[in-house]
Amino acid sequence: MPVSDLLPELMVLIGAAAIVVSASFLPHRLHWLCAVAAIAVLLASSVVVCLRWNDPAQLTFSGIWALDGGAGFAKLVIFGSAIAASALSPQWMATDRRHGEYYGLLLFVALGAVMMAAAADTMELIIGVLLSSVTSYALVGYHRQWSPAQEAAMKYFLIGALANALLVVGVVLLFGLTGATGYRELSAGLAANPDPWVVTVAFVFILVGLAFKLGATPVHMWVPDVAQAAPAPVAALVTIITKVGAAVALARFTLLLPENIAWPWAIALMATVTMIWGNLAALWQTNLRRLLGWSAVSQSGYALMAIVVIGVVDQALAALLVFLASYAVANLAAFSAVVYLRGRTDLSDYRGLARQRPWTAAVIILALLSFLGLPPLVGFFGKFLLFSVVIEGGYAWLAVVAVINTVVSLFYYLRVIAVLVLPREHQHSADMGWAAGTTMIVTGLLVLALGLGANGLIELARVLLAPYHPVP
């Protein structure tokens, strides 16, 4: 059990613990140093991941932890998102007496998402889901005196309690059938054709448990509430990294399943309903943060498309990760603008922003058009790869559904853009300061830069992940 195999995760864990302890002794005026420490830890962990980029895929720690391209790519997206959220937080959380502890929780959430993405054992998967869930609940309700935040945290907790319980029951059923929790042993046990009805029930329970972290139907109702009422940096982070971790975990798990339970059709149905529900609900929103939450639900439906063909098309996981990376950058850009504008939520507050703050409006527009999939922004290439792999995998009808939903989403994205360019009489001068502004500009430029350099990103993912096997 080489401890060095877990060096990035151990750095995050030790860093989180050190930040929590340090926050107990630092005076409140110096709690911003905890943000600097969190960013330093995440940067160092990302560097370690990059240094091991070309290492051969393997299972470590007695086969329960995967060191492969899928896990490595997911770690970079998760750590990068956590860095952006940490940079957005100091001014937002400046008046909170527990400001320093907040960054420890951010690191724990990131660690839980990484555990989901790298787990090669169902028990390890459960630990990652629970670590991510428990810390997310606390972060969503961090503004204890604001009732909408408490309501969002409670809804998040109650839905999570049900979904996580179903996940555990599904894992127990699989253990009862095969006597194993490791993916390598589970793959061999399921190949022996155990009772298909029990396997089906176990799969449905596990699918629901991971759909909760994805923000997919039928356990998606927490997403718009969290996007609207949680601290804005937390909303940006939670709607990204739990989606990334759960998507990679589900892709890794489905590759173990036998074909006789027709699991691709179940995921295709979930993807369809998630896309439709998220887009239709977003049409009526007059709150930008809630609209971004419903958009996040619809993006989960798109992500599920790649998982439908994960065992059929070699490039399916590469398409999934490129799409998740494109979504992460655009979502961070949109929420960075919200943070920079001190958390404005109602669409009417954004009226005339293009004239008052053209750079901020430009970042929002770039993010929304990237969600839409407009070239040459990075979101276009993420969706293009998704459509390509599902068509290649024999699910052309799912690509048609996704295209129709993309057209529907055009209406509410353009409605926001129209509000931005409409004239307004009075000016808004307050903003959240240089840290949030810099993060907003950087993420906005990344939406454009990664789109212009998408060929390199796509080729990197393809080389790294093809052919991809869950059990080296």
Side-chain angles (χ1 to χ4, degrees):
M1 294 187 180
V3 176
S4 60
D5 287 347
L6 297 182
L7 185 57
E9 293 79 12
L10 287 175
M11 292 170 68
V12 173
L13 175 63
I14 295 171
I19 286 172
V20 172
V21 173
S22 300
S24 302
F25 297 95
L26 284 173
H28 184 259
R29 70 179 186 279
L30 296 179
H31 277 196
W32 62 270
L33 292 174
C34 295
V36 176
I39 292 173
V41 168
L42 291 164
L43 283 173
S45 299
S46 301
V47 169
V48 174
V49 173
C50 291
L51 291 175
R52 297 183 172 182
W53 201 253
N54 295 319
D55 290 356
Q58 60 175 307
L59 295 180
T60 188
F61 275 76
S62 301
I64 68 170
W65 192 264
L67 297 175
D68 57 20
F73 203 108
K75 288 174 189 177
L76 291 183
V77 175
I78 291 167
F79 291 157
S81 301
I83 288 170
S86 299
L88 290 171
S89 298
Q91 284 297 108
W92 187 280
M93 304 297 298
T95 59
D96 196 298
R97 300 302 301 175
R98 301 161 302 143
H99 181 190
E101 303 164 11
Y102 166 88
Y103 299 100
L105 288 176
L106 281 185
L107 293 184
F108 281 125
V109 170
L111 182 60
V114 166
M115 291 181 69
M116 286 191 284
D121 182 280
T122 51
M123 298 303 292
E124 198 76 17
L125 175 62
I126 289 173
I127 293 173
V129 169
L130 294 180
L131 176 60
S132 174
S133 297
V134 170
T135 48
S136 295
Y137 303 152
L139 284 172
V140 169
Y142 216 77
H143 293 329
R144 293 180 297 176
Q145 306 304 320
W146 197 42
S147 57
Q150 297 308 302
E151 180 183 348
M154 183 56 66
K155 180 179 286 189
Y156 192 15
F157 167 74
L158 292 175
I159 297 174
L162 172 62
N164 292 341
L166 292 177
L167 173 67
V168 173
V169 172
V171 168
V172 170
L173 288 174
L174 286 184
F175 178 76
L177 281 176
T178 64
T181 59
Y183 285 6
R184 185 159 44 194
E185 295 78 13
L186 274 174
S187 180
L190 293 174
N193 295 320
D195 189 333
W197 290 104
V198 179
V199 175
T200 300
V201 172
F203 163 69
V204 170
F205 285 176
I206 293 174
L207 178 60
V208 171
L210 292 177
F212 161 69
K213 304 304 295 182
L214 266 166
T217 304
V219 280
H220 65 282
M221 294 304 295
W222 62 272
V223 181
D225 290 81
V226 167
Q228 179 182 0
V234 172
L237 184 68
V238 170
T239 53
I240 294 171
I241 64 172
T242 58
K243 195 185 303 292
V244 173
V248 176
L250 182 58
R252 199 184 295 277
F253 176 77
T254 52
L255 286 167
L256 310 175
L257 295 173
E259 296 180 357
N260 62 346
I261 65 170
W263 60 265
W265 286 95
I267 297 178
L269 177 61
M270 178 178 284
T272 301
V273 175
T274 301
M275 283 187 283
I276 294 173
W277 199 328
N279 282 317
L280 291 181
L283 286 173
W284 315 109
Q285 301 305 317
T286 59
N287 183 295
L288 179 60
R289 288 179 60 177
R290 194 168 186 85
L291 184 147
L292 291 174
W294 281 113
S295 174
V297 172
S298 68
Q299 300 297 321
S300 296
Y302 295 121
L304 286 168
M305 292 168 56
I307 301 176
V308 172
V309 295
I310 198 71
V312 179
V313 182
D314 284 341
Q315 302 300 331
L317 185 64
L320 173 64
L321 289 177
V322 171
F323 173 78
L324 290 172
S326 67
Y327 166 73
V329 172
N331 200 57
L332 286 170
F335 273 101
S336 295
V338 171
V339 173
Y340 182 65
L341 296 174
R342 306 188 71 86
R344 294 187 202 176
T345 56
D346 197 277
L347 274 182
S348 62
D349 293 333
Y350 289 82
R351 185 182 177 96
L353 187 68
R355 300 186 182 187
Q356 301 167 20
R357 295 180 180 272
W359 287 105
T360 306
V363 170
I364 297 175
I365 292 171
L366 284 175
L368 296 180
L369 294 180
S370 183
F371 289 145
L372 180 63
L374 190 73
L377 304 177
V378 66
F380 166 77
F381 297 97
K383 284 193 174 181
F384 176 78
L385 286 178
L386 289 181
F387 296 164
S388 299
V389 296
V390 295
I391 292 173
E392 183 181 347
Y395 288 83
W397 65 268
L398 187 57
V400 172
V401 171
V403 170
I404 294 172
N405 275 277
T406 299
V407 174
V408 172
S409 68
L410 176 66
F411 290 93
Y412 61 83
Y413 290 138
L414 288 183
R415 182 159 58 90
V416 176
I417 294 172
V419 170
L420 294 175
V421 300
L422 288 174
R424 187 181 182 91
E425 294 181 0
H426 60 280
Q427 302 286 321
H428 291 281
S429 58
D431 59 55
M432 195 59 79
W434 68 269
T438 302
T439 305
M440 178 189 68
I441 295 298
V442 169
T443 52
L445 290 175
L446 280 175
V447 172
L448 183 59
L450 289 178
L452 296 175
N455 285 337
L457 178 65
I458 294 169
E459 188 60 29
L460 174 64
R462 284 177 172 171
V463 170
L464 186 65
L465 302 171
Y468 177 76
H469 301 287
V471 184

